[in-house]
PDB file of all heavy atoms in Angstrom:
ATOM      1  N   PRO Q  93       2.754 -80.534 -38.110  1.00 98.00           N
ATOM      2  CA  PRO Q  93       4.112 -81.011 -38.386  1.00 98.00           C
ATOM      3  C   PRO Q  93       4.138 -82.377 -39.075  1.00 98.00           C
ATOM      4  O   PRO Q  93       5.016 -82.636 -39.904  1.00 98.00           O
ATOM      5  CB  PRO Q  93       4.757 -81.105 -37.003  1.00 98.00           C
ATOM      6  CG  PRO Q  93       3.885 -80.329 -36.079  1.00 98.00           C
ATOM      7  CD  PRO Q  93       2.512 -80.301 -36.664  1.00 98.00           C
ATOM      8  N   GLU Q  94       3.179 -83.245 -38.744  1.00 98.00           N
ATOM      9  CA  GLU Q  94       3.138 -84.566 -39.379  1.00 98.00           C
ATOM     10  C   GLU Q  94       2.853 -84.429 -40.879  1.00 98.00           C
ATOM     11  O   GLU Q  94       3.487 -85.082 -41.710  1.00 98.00           O
ATOM     12  CB  GLU Q  94       2.059 -85.445 -38.728  1.00 98.00           C
ATOM     13  CG  GLU Q  94       2.106 -86.885 -39.224  1.00 98.00           C
ATOM     14  CD  GLU Q  94       0.738 -87.547 -39.341  1.00 98.00           C
ATOM     15  OE1 GLU Q  94      -0.159 -87.247 -38.520  1.00 98.00           O
ATOM     16  OE2 GLU Q  94       0.572 -88.363 -40.268  1.00 98.00           O
ATOM     17  N   TYR Q  95       1.920 -83.556 -41.224  1.00 98.00           N
ATOM     18  CA  TYR Q  95       1.615 -83.330 -42.636  1.00 98.00           C
ATOM     19  C   TYR Q  95       2.818 -82.716 -43.360  1.00 98.00           C
ATOM     20  O   TYR Q  95       3.151 -83.100 -44.483  1.00 98.00           O
ATOM     21  CB  TYR Q  95       0.408 -82.407 -42.792  1.00 98.00           C
ATOM     22  CG  TYR Q  95      -0.901 -82.924 -42.242  1.00 98.00           C
ATOM     23  CD1 TYR Q  95      -1.999 -82.071 -42.135  1.00 98.00           C
ATOM     24  CD2 TYR Q  95      -1.065 -84.245 -41.824  1.00 98.00           C
ATOM     25  CE1 TYR Q  95      -3.220 -82.525 -41.632  1.00 98.00           C
ATOM     26  CE2 TYR Q  95      -2.270 -84.698 -41.315  1.00 98.00           C
ATOM     27  CZ  TYR Q  95      -3.358 -83.827 -41.221  1.00 98.00           C
ATOM     28  OH  TYR Q  95      -4.557 -84.254 -40.727  1.00 98.00           O
ATOM     29  N   ALA Q  96       3.461 -81.747 -42.700  1.00 98.00           N
ATOM     30  CA  ALA Q  96       4.616 -81.083 -43.319  1.00 98.00           C
ATOM     31  C   ALA Q  96       5.725 -82.095 -43.612  1.00 98.00           C
ATOM     32  O   ALA Q  96       6.366 -82.051 -44.671  1.00 98.00           O
ATOM     33  CB  ALA Q  96       5.122 -79.964 -42.413  1.00 98.00           C
ATOM     34  N   HIS Q  97       5.908 -83.030 -42.690  1.00 98.00           N
ATOM     35  CA  HIS Q  97       6.944 -84.062 -42.832  1.00 98.00           C
ATOM     36  C   HIS Q  97       6.636 -84.965 -44.037  1.00 98.00           C
ATOM     37  O   HIS Q  97       7.524 -85.289 -44.839  1.00 98.00           O
ATOM     38  CB  HIS Q  97       7.021 -84.872 -41.537  1.00 98.00           C
ATOM     39  CG  HIS Q  97       8.058 -85.936 -41.534  1.00 98.00           C
ATOM     40  ND1 HIS Q  97       9.411 -85.662 -41.588  1.00 98.00           N
ATOM     41  CD2 HIS Q  97       7.952 -87.291 -41.489  1.00 98.00           C
ATOM     42  CE1 HIS Q  97      10.086 -86.798 -41.588  1.00 98.00           C
ATOM     43  NE2 HIS Q  97       9.231 -87.801 -41.529  1.00 98.00           N
ATOM     44  N   VAL Q  98       5.380 -85.369 -44.161  1.00 98.00           N
ATOM     45  CA  VAL Q  98       4.973 -86.185 -45.316  1.00 98.00           C
ATOM     46  C   VAL Q  98       5.124 -85.379 -46.607  1.00 98.00           C
ATOM     47  O   VAL Q  98       5.656 -85.871 -47.611  1.00 98.00           O
ATOM     48  CB  VAL Q  98       3.516 -86.694 -45.142  1.00 98.00           C
ATOM     49  CG1 VAL Q  98       2.956 -87.216 -46.459  1.00 98.00           C
ATOM     50  CG2 VAL Q  98       3.449 -87.769 -44.059  1.00 98.00           C
ATOM     51  N   ALA Q  99       4.675 -84.122 -46.588  1.00 98.00           N
ATOM     52  CA  ALA Q  99       4.724 -83.284 -47.796  1.00 98.00           C
ATOM     53  C   ALA Q  99       6.158 -83.163 -48.313  1.00 98.00           C
ATOM     54  O   ALA Q  99       6.399 -83.269 -49.528  1.00 98.00           O
ATOM     55  CB  ALA Q  99       4.141 -81.906 -47.499  1.00 98.00           C
ATOM     56  N   ARG Q 100       7.111 -82.967 -47.397  1.00 98.00           N
ATOM     57  CA  ARG Q 100       8.517 -82.832 -47.829  1.00 98.00           C
ATOM     58  C   ARG Q 100       8.976 -84.089 -48.576  1.00 98.00           C
ATOM     59  O   ARG Q 100       9.715 -84.003 -49.555  1.00 98.00           O
ATOM     60  CB  ARG Q 100       9.422 -82.565 -46.622  1.00 98.00           C
ATOM     61  CG  ARG Q 100       9.264 -81.172 -46.074  1.00 98.00           C
ATOM     62  CD  ARG Q 100      10.375 -80.812 -45.079  1.00 98.00           C
ATOM     63  NE  ARG Q 100      10.069 -79.532 -44.461  1.00 98.00           N
ATOM     64  CZ  ARG Q 100       9.480 -79.392 -43.270  1.00 98.00           C
ATOM     65  NH1 ARG Q 100       9.197 -80.459 -42.543  1.00 98.00           N
ATOM     66  NH2 ARG Q 100       9.208 -78.194 -42.796  1.00 98.00           N
ATOM     67  N   GLN Q 101       8.519 -85.238 -48.125  1.00 98.00           N
ATOM     68  CA  GLN Q 101       8.923 -86.494 -48.785  1.00 98.00           C
ATOM     69  C   GLN Q 101       8.231 -86.676 -50.132  1.00 98.00           C
ATOM     70  O   GLN Q 101       8.831 -87.172 -51.087  1.00 98.00           O
ATOM     71  CB  GLN Q 101       8.634 -87.675 -47.853  1.00 98.00           C
ATOM     72  CG  GLN Q 101       9.509 -87.634 -46.603  1.00 98.00           C
ATOM     73  CD  GLN Q 101       9.068 -88.666 -45.569  1.00 98.00           C
ATOM     74  OE1 GLN Q 101       9.396 -89.839 -45.681  1.00 98.00           O
ATOM     75  NE2 GLN Q 101       8.307 -88.227 -44.586  1.00 98.00           N
ATOM     76  N   VAL Q 102       6.969 -86.256 -50.218  1.00 98.00           N
ATOM     77  CA  VAL Q 102       6.247 -86.326 -51.496  1.00 98.00           C
ATOM     78  C   VAL Q 102       6.918 -85.386 -52.518  1.00 98.00           C
ATOM     79  O   VAL Q 102       7.160 -85.754 -53.678  1.00 98.00           O
ATOM     80  CB  VAL Q 102       4.751 -85.962 -51.296  1.00 98.00           C
ATOM     81  CG1 VAL Q 102       4.049 -85.742 -52.625  1.00 98.00           C
ATOM     82  CG2 VAL Q 102       4.049 -87.057 -50.487  1.00 98.00           C
ATOM     83  N   ILE Q 103       7.251 -84.176 -52.057  1.00 98.00           N
ATOM     84  CA  ILE Q 103       7.896 -83.175 -52.926  1.00 98.00           C
ATOM     85  C   ILE Q 103       9.272 -83.675 -53.382  1.00 98.00           C
ATOM     86  O   ILE Q 103       9.661 -83.527 -54.541  1.00 98.00           O
ATOM     87  CB  ILE Q 103       7.996 -81.823 -52.174  1.00 98.00           C
ATOM     88  CG1 ILE Q 103       6.588 -81.248 -51.949  1.00 98.00           C
ATOM     89  CG2 ILE Q 103       8.899 -80.838 -52.907  1.00 98.00           C
ATOM     90  CD1 ILE Q 103       6.486 -80.215 -50.828  1.00 98.00           C
ATOM     91  N   GLN Q 104       9.985 -84.305 -52.453  1.00 98.00           N
ATOM     92  CA  GLN Q 104      11.299 -84.899 -52.754  1.00 98.00           C
ATOM     93  C   GLN Q 104      11.164 -86.017 -53.794  1.00 98.00           C
ATOM     94  O   GLN Q 104      11.957 -86.108 -54.729  1.00 98.00           O
ATOM     95  CB  GLN Q 104      11.883 -85.466 -51.451  1.00 98.00           C
ATOM     96  CG  GLN Q 104      13.185 -86.243 -51.607  1.00 98.00           C
ATOM     97  CD  GLN Q 104      14.380 -85.409 -51.188  1.00 98.00           C
ATOM     98  OE1 GLN Q 104      14.284 -84.608 -50.264  1.00 98.00           O
ATOM     99  NE2 GLN Q 104      15.497 -85.585 -51.875  1.00 98.00           N
ATOM    100  N   HIS Q 105      10.146 -86.839 -53.635  1.00 98.00           N
ATOM    101  CA  HIS Q 105       9.927 -87.937 -54.593  1.00 98.00           C
ATOM    102  C   HIS Q 105       9.694 -87.379 -55.993  1.00 98.00           C
ATOM    103  O   HIS Q 105      10.147 -87.955 -56.991  1.00 98.00           O
ATOM    104  CB  HIS Q 105       8.749 -88.818 -54.156  1.00 98.00           C
ATOM    105  CG  HIS Q 105       8.712 -90.147 -54.834  1.00 98.00           C
ATOM    106  ND1 HIS Q 105       9.151 -91.320 -54.231  1.00 98.00           N
ATOM    107  CD2 HIS Q 105       8.318 -90.490 -56.090  1.00 98.00           C
ATOM    108  CE1 HIS Q 105       9.031 -92.315 -55.086  1.00 98.00           C
ATOM    109  NE2 HIS Q 105       8.516 -91.854 -56.217  1.00 98.00           N
ATOM    110  N   ALA Q 106       8.999 -86.242 -56.048  1.00 98.00           N
ATOM    111  CA  ALA Q 106       8.735 -85.596 -57.345  1.00 98.00           C
ATOM    112  C   ALA Q 106       9.974 -84.873 -57.883  1.00 98.00           C
ATOM    113  O   ALA Q 106       9.970 -84.391 -59.024  1.00 98.00           O
ATOM    114  CB  ALA Q 106       7.565 -84.621 -57.206  1.00 98.00           C
ATOM    115  N   GLY Q 107      11.013 -84.756 -57.058  1.00 98.00           N
ATOM    116  CA  GLY Q 107      12.258 -84.103 -57.489  1.00 98.00           C
ATOM    117  C   GLY Q 107      12.170 -82.583 -57.484  1.00 98.00           C
ATOM    118  O   GLY Q 107      12.956 -81.896 -58.133  1.00 98.00           O
ATOM    119  N   LEU Q 108      11.213 -82.038 -56.724  1.00 97.00           N
ATOM    120  CA  LEU Q 108      10.976 -80.595 -56.753  1.00 97.00           C
ATOM    121  C   LEU Q 108      11.473 -79.872 -55.496  1.00 97.00           C
ATOM    122  O   LEU Q 108      11.178 -78.698 -55.295  1.00 97.00           O
ATOM    123  CB  LEU Q 108       9.468 -80.325 -56.939  1.00 97.00           C
ATOM    124  CG  LEU Q 108       8.872 -80.816 -58.267  1.00 97.00           C
ATOM    125  CD1 LEU Q 108       7.341 -80.690 -58.242  1.00 97.00           C
ATOM    126  CD2 LEU Q 108       9.437 -80.047 -59.450  1.00 97.00           C
ATOM    127  N   GLN Q 109      12.249 -80.589 -54.649  1.00 97.00           N
ATOM    128  CA  GLN Q 109      12.633 -80.039 -53.349  1.00 97.00           C
ATOM    129  C   GLN Q 109      13.416 -78.725 -53.445  1.00 97.00           C
ATOM    130  O   GLN Q 109      13.326 -77.883 -52.556  1.00 97.00           O
ATOM    131  CB  GLN Q 109      13.405 -81.083 -52.516  1.00 97.00           C
ATOM    132  CG  GLN Q 109      14.742 -81.545 -53.079  1.00 97.00           C
ATOM    133  CD  GLN Q 109      14.641 -82.534 -54.251  1.00 97.00           C
ATOM    134  OE1 GLN Q 109      13.578 -83.083 -54.515  1.00 97.00           O
ATOM    135  NE2 GLN Q 109      15.753 -82.714 -54.956  1.00 97.00           N
ATOM    136  N   ASP Q 110      14.168 -78.508 -54.520  1.00 96.00           N
ATOM    137  CA  ASP Q 110      14.957 -77.272 -54.620  1.00 96.00           C
ATOM    138  C   ASP Q 110      14.110 -76.035 -54.917  1.00 96.00           C
ATOM    139  O   ASP Q 110      14.574 -74.911 -54.780  1.00 96.00           O
ATOM    140  CB  ASP Q 110      16.032 -77.415 -55.713  1.00 96.00           C
ATOM    141  CG  ASP Q 110      17.069 -78.469 -55.331  1.00 96.00           C
ATOM    142  OD1 ASP Q 110      17.136 -78.832 -54.131  1.00 96.00           O
ATOM    143  OD2 ASP Q 110      17.785 -78.948 -56.240  1.00 96.00           O
ATOM    144  N   LYS Q 111      12.872 -76.254 -55.341  1.00 97.00           N
ATOM    145  CA  LYS Q 111      12.023 -75.117 -55.701  1.00 97.00           C
ATOM    146  C   LYS Q 111      10.976 -74.797 -54.643  1.00 97.00           C
ATOM    147  O   LYS Q 111      10.216 -73.848 -54.792  1.00 97.00           O
ATOM    148  CB  LYS Q 111      11.302 -75.410 -57.032  1.00 97.00           C
ATOM    149  CG  LYS Q 111      12.281 -75.678 -58.173  1.00 97.00           C
ATOM    150  CD  LYS Q 111      11.552 -76.093 -59.428  1.00 97.00           C
ATOM    151  CE  LYS Q 111      11.152 -74.884 -60.248  1.00 97.00           C
ATOM    152  NZ  LYS Q 111      10.539 -75.260 -61.533  1.00 97.00           N
ATOM    153  N   VAL Q 112      10.921 -75.621 -53.580  1.00 98.00           N
ATOM    154  CA  VAL Q 112       9.843 -75.494 -52.599  1.00 98.00           C
ATOM    155  C   VAL Q 112      10.400 -75.300 -51.200  1.00 98.00           C
ATOM    156  O   VAL Q 112      11.355 -75.967 -50.803  1.00 98.00           O
ATOM    157  CB  VAL Q 112       8.948 -76.760 -52.606  1.00 98.00           C
ATOM    158  CG1 VAL Q 112       7.857 -76.650 -51.539  1.00 98.00           C
ATOM    159  CG2 VAL Q 112       8.330 -76.989 -53.976  1.00 98.00           C
TER     160      VAL Q 112
END
Side-chain angles (χ1 to χ4, degrees):
E94 188 215 326
Y95 297 169
H97 181 66
V98 165
R100 287 193 187 97
Q101 294 170 80
V102 168
I103 293 159
Q104 174 102 35
H105 197 101
L108 296 171
Q109 64 284 347
D110 294 343
K111 301 174 88 175
V112 178

